[in-house]
Amino acid sequence: MIVIFKMINKRKLNQLQLSITAGTLAVSLLLGLAGETVSAASKEQPEIRAKNVIMLIPDGMSMDGTTLARWYNGGKALALDEMASGLVRTYSADAAIADSAPAGTAFATGFKSHTGYVGVLPDQNTMPGLPKLAPGDAKKPVANIVEAARLAGKSTGIIATSEIMHATPADFSAHYPDRSNYDALSEQQVYAGMDVVLGGGATYFTPAGREDGEDLTKVIASSGYNIVKNTAELKAASSGKLWGMFADTAMANDMDRDPVKQPSIAEMTDKAIQVLSQNEEGFFLMVEGSKVDWAAHANDPIGIISEVNAFDRAVAKALAFAKQDQNTLVIAATDHGNGGITIGDAGTTGTYDEEPLSTFIAPLKKAKATGEGLEKKFNSNRTNIKAVMKQYYGITDLTKEEIATIKAAEKGRMNYAVGPMISKRAHIGWTTGGHTGGEVVLYSYAPGGVQLTGVVENSDIASYMASALQVDLADVSKQLFVPAKTAFAAKGATVKWDATDARNPVVVVTKGNDTLRLPVFKNTADWNGKTVKLKGNVIHNGVQTYVPQDAVDLFS
């Protein structure tokens, strides 16, 4: 039996408990137990509790992408396959097709949002069935599952193959209504108190890579993190706080990766679990296979196969741990589809049911690099195009137009040039270079083999994880995001904005002889000349400033 979730007030949903009766069908999760779906007529649904939660997100992974990877692998099952349990609706607060920032925000916080918005509410909810946004709530930060788990005493971590401050990992660790503001997002991540951070983007923690001139690498080191920069260093790390910087920007596609310089996403996942699971209180880990999405944007099927397979190996690590641990919830779901990829194109319209599998897979098997990795194989003048395409893609029939396209490809865009070429030869179809709005597959595994089933909202995933961990996202939002001006005024204090260093503003609060200086996007403050550490970061969303309640409580 399948139940489509009714749209309900998300604040109430954040307090959802999974022990429910048939009378609360509007929030039924219908969990499948022992291979059977629990009927909505049951008096009580099974209650899911887990010490640990691992969420894995293969960004932009459409269903035909997984099918293609499976056939490429000779038809062997993916680790994901046994976890397939339902569908996820992916639309955002005001659009049928979601950007990664609001889609990840829904997973992390339980709230749908607007394109480009990270960890904050939208300006308005306009999609059918969504509640009207309360006055004054536009762009307001809301708590994510990482913050809630940390305040509950659990260890936390994030992993990405993109820059670590890219949209999805930022959704689980920062708050700002502009995903491109890497300064704001990365600074929040450094002060977010996470235990494990692994991915790319090293440049954006250095003074040279930041508009604010701060050296966040030094801050990371002084905060007790073991900074690792290659595979050997990652493997050698044993315990404590761990920060991996494996590339200046994004990490390489798995097929193109130098295994000495960069660990695989499976290796990062395995190490993160080893470190985080040492906390007896449990942990939360988010793992993003970031570049499935990038390959789909480029219509590069080799890139998709590379990244889906790499991601699936990470899933296998998480699933193996969960099965052995028996106290871990694992959820995998993409934030949206991308590219409209199809096995079959216009060229197979009249022959689709007669084409052997080799029609689609044989041309792909000849590739030895993704479109991204291929760029390094050409010489500086790209006079060796025919030789490279023959050696690395098995293509010997390039047209003059294709040669011209490769020769003219801008740096970092070779996958956009050659992806469509190998797609044409393998009859892999594409409808767009952008995201798509259909439902995506939900994968789940919980203690006892329980699965989340049905058609669910992306925002409901956060509520499900929060309930399993027994944390309250709404309560955490109240603790961490108090409107500064109103709260301090109620204490009889005055609030001023110190922009002496415009790139590093400070909120200054005074009352009598007491002065509190609150640097924006940090969790450290100066209280009458002494450094104090707050429960969360000071957030400015471009409209107003929010502070943790413990900052307000400093004033009597």
Side-chain angles (χ1 to χ4, degrees):
M1 180 178 180
I2 300 296
V3 169
I4 298 178
F5 284 169
K6 294 181 180 179
M7 299 304 302
I8 63 174
N9 186 296
K10 293 299 184 292
R11 285 190 170 82
K12 293 180 180 179
L13 191 55
N14 279 337
Q15 301 172 3
L16 174 65
Q17 298 296 317
L18 293 184
S19 177
I20 55 178
T21 64
T24 57
L25 185 58
V27 292
S28 292
L29 293 180
L30 281 186
L31 299 171
L33 184 59
E36 298 181 359
T37 300
V38 180
S39 169
S42 300
K43 291 184 178 181
E44 189 171 298
Q45 301 291 342
E47 184 173 297
I48 304 302
R49 293 288 180 259
K51 185 171 74 172
N52 315 307
V53 171
I54 304 172
M55 181 168 195
L56 304 104
I57 303 172
D59 199 296
M61 187 178 76
S62 301
M63 195 178 300
D64 271 39
T66 53
T67 304
L68 187 65
R70 198 181 293 109
W71 284 129
Y72 182 89
N73 299 340
K76 296 178 182 177
L78 300 172
L80 284 165
D81 290 351
E82 67 175 275
M83 296 169 58
S85 60
L87 296 172
V88 180
R89 304 187 73 186
T90 62
Y91 63 94
S92 58
D94 52 6
I97 301 176
D99 165 56
S100 288
T105 292
F107 281 156
T109 72
F111 291 90
K112 294 178 183 286
S113 195
H114 174 68
T115 294
Y117 286 17
V118 172
V120 301
L121 296 177
D123 298 299
Q124 56 182 337
N125 287 327
T126 61
M127 287 297 287
L130 293 182
K132 186 176 180 180
L133 204 65
D137 274 0
K139 297 184 178 71
K140 181 179 180 180
V142 282
N144 59 55
I145 190 70
V146 169
E147 291 164 329
R150 175 178 59 81
L151 291 180
K154 296 179 180 293
S155 292
T156 58
I158 58 173
I159 295 172
T161 52
S162 64
E163 299 91 348
I164 201 67
M165 66 292 299
H166 210 260
T168 304
D171 285 323
F172 285 79
S173 52
H175 308 271
Y176 197 74
D178 181 1
R179 60 177 286 179
S180 65
N181 191 335
Y182 274 17
D183 274 16
L185 300 175
S186 58
E187 187 165 30
Q188 291 179 62
Q189 290 177 321
V190 169
Y191 289 92
M194 294 178 288
D195 299 277
V196 174
V197 180
L198 304 175
T203 294
Y204 302 102
F205 296 104
T206 67
R210 303 180 59 80
E211 292 184 7
D212 62 18
E214 292 203 48
D215 189 344
L216 292 183
T217 304
K218 284 187 177 180
V219 177
I220 293 169
S222 66
S223 299
Y225 287 96
N226 179 8
I227 299 177
V228 294
K229 297 184 178 181
N230 56 50
T231 305
E233 290 179 357
L234 176 70
K235 290 182 177 180
S238 57
S239 62
K241 298 169 70 176
L242 185 63
W243 198 299
M245 298 184 185
F246 304 115
D248 287 339
T249 53
M251 297 176 68
N253 284 338
D254 195 71
M255 186 179 286
D256 312 318
R257 175 178 59 89
D258 181 340
V260 174
K261 295 180 179 179
Q262 296 184 5
S264 69
I265 187 173
E267 289 172 322
M268 290 191 288
T269 300
D270 190 43
K271 176 56 69 174
I273 292 173
Q274 289 177 29
V275 173
L276 297 174
S277 61
Q278 295 178 32
N279 185 347
E280 294 183 358
E281 297 299 318
F283 68 86
F284 175 86
L285 173 65
M286 189 287 297
V287 180
E288 186 198 31
S290 316
K291 296 180 71 177
V292 179
D293 180 70
W294 297 21
H297 275 299
N299 292 177
D300 177 8
I302 303 302
I304 285 181
I305 291 167
S306 164
E307 298 312 282
V308 168
N309 277 333
F311 176 81
D312 193 62
R313 289 188 284 272
V315 170
K317 293 290 186 182
L319 190 56
F321 172 81
K323 288 181 176 180
Q324 181 178 12
D325 176 68
Q326 282 301 299
N327 205 0
T328 299
L329 167 66
V330 180
I331 293 179
T334 185
D335 45 357
H336 52 73
N338 192 347
I341 182 175
T342 58
I343 300 174
D345 62 3
T348 62
T349 299
T351 62
Y352 59 86
D353 57 342
E354 300 171 357
E355 299 290 349
L357 181 60
S358 59
T359 295
F360 310 105
I361 301 302
L364 303 178
K365 281 287 190 177
K366 296 176 182 178
K368 300 175 183 177
T370 72
E372 248 182 46
L374 196 67
E375 184 168 337
K376 298 178 182 178
K377 309 302 181 182
F378 297 109
N379 58 30
S380 58
N381 296 322
R382 294 185 184 169
T383 57
N384 61 340
I385 290 175
K386 288 186 177 180
V388 168
M389 293 301 287
K390 178 181 179 180
Q391 180 180 353
Y392 290 96
Y393 265 40
I395 294 177
T396 59
D397 59 347
L398 287 171
T399 66
K400 291 182 179 179
E401 291 77 12
E402 288 175 331
I403 293 173
T405 297
I406 293 172
K407 194 172 185 66
E410 298 177 4
K411 184 178 180 181
R413 303 281 293 182
M414 188 58 68
N415 50 347
Y416 285 79
V418 302
M421 294 178 192
I422 196 166
S423 294
K424 178 180 179 181
R425 289 162 174 82
H427 291 286
I428 302 300
W430 303 89
T431 62
T432 179
H435 296 178
T436 53
E439 280 71 51
V440 296
V441 180
L442 170 65
Y443 303 89
S444 62
Y445 174 88
V450 178
Q451 290 181 301
L452 174 62
T453 66
V455 180
V456 305
E457 298 290 338
N458 53 7
S459 49
D460 292 336
I461 300 297
S463 303
Y464 178 64
M465 295 188 297
S467 181
L469 292 176
Q470 300 185 68
V471 296
D472 189 326
L473 289 169
D475 182 65
V476 175
S477 286
K478 292 178 181 178
Q479 292 183 55
L480 297 184
F481 307 117
V482 180
K485 188 174 182 180
T486 303
F488 286 122
K491 293 279 190 173
T494 60
V495 181
K496 293 183 179 180
W497 185 266
D498 182 356
T500 303
D501 180 353
R503 302 178 304 175
N504 296 285
V506 178
V507 178
V508 181
V509 188
T510 57
K511 180 182 179 182
N513 295 324
D514 292 323
T515 300
L516 177 65
R517 295 180 60 84
L518 298 157
V520 175
F521 303 133
K522 294 180 171 67
N523 72 340
T524 55
D526 182 292
W527 172 245
N528 294 326
K530 296 182 179 180
T531 300
V532 295
K533 189 173 182 179
L534 306 174
K535 289 184 177 180
N537 290 327
V538 175
I539 303 297
H540 184 71
N541 66 356
V543 180
Q544 62 178 313
T545 304
Y546 297 84
V547 299
Q549 181 63 47
D550 57 337
V552 179
D553 292 342
L554 289 170
F555 292 91
S556 58

